Amino acid sequence: AYVLNEVFDYTAKVGRQDLYFQYRHNSPNYRRIDPSPNNIIDLYLLTKQYSTDYTAWIQDTTGVVAEPTAPTVDALSTEFSTLENYKNLTDTIIYNPAKFKPIFGAKAPTSLQATFKVVKNASIIVSDNDVKTRVIDAINSYFDVANWDFGETFYFSELSAYLHSVLAPNIASITIVPSSESSTFGSLLQINANYNEIIVSAATVDNVQIISAITAAQINQTVLA
């Protein structure tokens, strides 16, 4: 049995009044949120077909290959629907298409376009065109999508070391100079990517220049008197 005891030594105070509270939560149109799950899992997916098509477009110099369209959220949800069998009941999966970030070539944003300036080894007889082709082939190998992850940062020092290793003994030196007049030498020595981006090279042989020596003029630097 329960016994109720009346209490008389309590106090009551009037709190804040006439408060207006408004809660807004807006979700992007491409996201469908189920309010019941506790965990939302964002997956960023790069399909093999989109990767192949994008590589073909970024390396095309004829203008014949059209830029591919990234798969939609609905298409990814359908293609990878089996993943739903492995998630917890309290989870919901959001399928996001990967995004490429082209650098160096004409298909890259203006601020990220650049010229590779190469000094050949004077003791080796090799044509300029041969060196240019080998440089681009090596750069494309370096930026193979299998070597990169989402949000990974590009460092020219690492690319330079790779090019010297692969192209030796044909080249003596190589540097990178921004194509934009508003950019300064060194601005492209490090390029960051967003969490959903994968860096890829858009460079062609037109972005490779053979020079006799690396001077202030060659790297667009003003020589002070």
Side-chain angles (χ1 to χ4, degrees):
Y2 295 95
V3 178
L4 299 179
N5 297 319
E6 189 173 0
V7 178
F8 298 96
D9 58 345
Y10 66 87
T11 59
K13 297 182 179 180
V14 178
R16 295 182 178 181
Q17 303 295 313
D18 301 324
L19 293 179
Y20 295 93
F21 176 76
Q22 183 180 36
Y23 174 73
R24 292 184 177 182
H25 179 74
N26 299 321
S27 177
N29 293 331
Y30 58 84
R31 291 192 176 183
R32 296 174 295 178
I33 295 181
D34 183 350
S36 60
N38 296 326
N39 301 315
I40 297 177
I41 303 173
D42 272 307
L43 290 182
Y44 294 92
L45 303 170
L46 175 62
T47 63
K48 183 177 181 179
Q49 186 61 55
Y50 179 59
S51 176
T52 301
D53 293 344
Y54 192 91
T55 301
W57 170 75
I58 204 71
Q59 295 181 1
D60 174 57
T61 58
T62 64
V64 175
V65 180
E67 181 179 2
T69 302
T72 64
V73 173
D74 289 337
L76 291 175
S77 300
T78 301
E79 184 176 355
F80 297 95
S81 59
T82 55
L83 294 178
E84 300 289 340
N85 300 327
Y86 301 97
K87 72 178 183 65
N88 295 326
L89 293 176
T90 56
D91 296 341
T92 185
I93 301 177
I94 306 298
Y95 300 89
N96 303 282
K99 182 179 180 182
F100 283 106
K101 183 172 185 175
I103 58 177
F104 303 143
K107 294 178 181 178
T110 303
S111 60
L112 297 179
Q113 295 179 15
T115 299
F116 289 88
K117 300 200 174 187
V118 181
V119 179
K120 295 193 302 182
N121 187 343
S123 61
I124 302 294
I125 300 176
V126 59
S127 68
D128 290 359
N129 289 336
D130 189 23
V131 171
K132 291 181 179 181
T133 300
R134 292 188 183 185
V135 167
I136 294 302
D137 289 343
I139 291 174
N140 289 338
S141 296
Y142 182 83
F143 282 97
D144 188 287
V145 68
N147 300 329
W148 293 79
D149 202 351
F150 291 101
E152 194 168 350
T153 300
F154 161 75
Y155 298 98
F156 177 71
S157 58
E158 296 178 356
L159 173 60
S160 177
Y162 173 80
L163 294 178
H164 278 87
S165 173
V166 173
L167 301 175
N170 293 329
I171 68 170
S173 183
I174 185 169
T175 189
I176 186 173
V177 178
S179 299
S180 175
E181 295 181 355
S182 60
S183 300
T184 59
F185 177 74
S187 61
L188 298 181
L189 297 183
Q190 176 178 329
I191 301 176
N192 300 319
N194 291 327
Y195 59 89
N196 62 334
E197 293 179 327
I198 298 177
I199 293 179
V200 63
S201 171
T204 67
V205 291
D206 293 333
N207 302 113
V208 182
Q209 180 182 356
I210 307 299
I211 59 177
S212 58
I214 296 178
T215 63
Q218 289 289 354
I219 60 176
N220 297 334
Q221 297 294 290
T222 302
V223 179
L224 299 179

